[in-house]
Amino acid sequence: MASCCTMPVEVRLPDLIRIGVVDQFELEEPIKNIAKRLEKQRVIQHFNFKNSLFTLAQRANGDCLYLDANTRRCTIYERRPNTCRNHPKVGSKPGFCAYTRKPDQPR
């Protein structure tokens, strides 16, 4: 459970609107300004300007900012980003999640 919640999560602006950390009115601002605000608030840890991708912040232990430390459940599940909704259906090997591999399994 919650294996994808310990990986860096890349999101786009519509995801941030759905989560509720960006509102529709901010879309008139330059995206770089939105990224600066979210970095300052520690909602994101990185912004890739070329691809317009934000990377959600992680706690020191690698957990997603929105993962409840006690229950190990997503606190924004109904509003979660598309990356989370589609994990592990998308990627280089659909259906495969390296983070769920047991330590004794070969790579």
Side-chain angles (χ1 to χ4, degrees):
M1 185 187 330
S3 62
C4 60
C5 301
T6 59
M7 302 180 333
V9 176
E10 291 182 333
V11 299
R12 297 197 179 274
L13 206 46
D15 294 309
L16 295 172
I17 292 169
R18 185 172 50 250
I19 291 169
V21 295
V22 174
D23 65 37
Q24 291 286 351
F25 300 108
E26 286 182 280
L27 297 180
E28 296 173 15
E29 286 186 46
I31 196 166
K32 200 174 355 177
N33 292 356
I34 295 171
K36 284 181 185 178
R37 178 182 65 79
L38 294 175
E39 281 180 326
K40 189 174 183 180
Q41 293 176 337
R42 299 179 190 225
V43 172
I44 65 167
Q45 61 189 23
H46 180 72
F47 175 63
N48 180 320
F49 187 77
K50 181 179 176 186
N51 298 315
S52 297
L53 284 173
F54 302 81
T55 304
L56 290 180
Q58 291 177 280
R59 293 190 181 97
N61 66 357
D63 282 355
C64 174
L65 177 67
Y66 297 106
L67 181 66
D68 184 285
N70 296 320
T71 64
R72 305 299 292 166
R73 295 198 177 266
C74 180
T75 59
I76 58 166
Y77 188 80
E78 294 300 320
R79 298 175 288 136
R80 70 193 184 279
N82 284 335
T83 302
C84 303
R85 291 171 188 268
N86 295 319
H87 179 81
K89 296 177 202 167
V90 296
S92 57
K93 296 179 185 178
F96 174 76
C97 177
Y99 287 83
T100 60
R101 183 182 63 79
K102 293 184 177 116
D104 59 328
Q105 289 178 324
R107 291 182 188 214

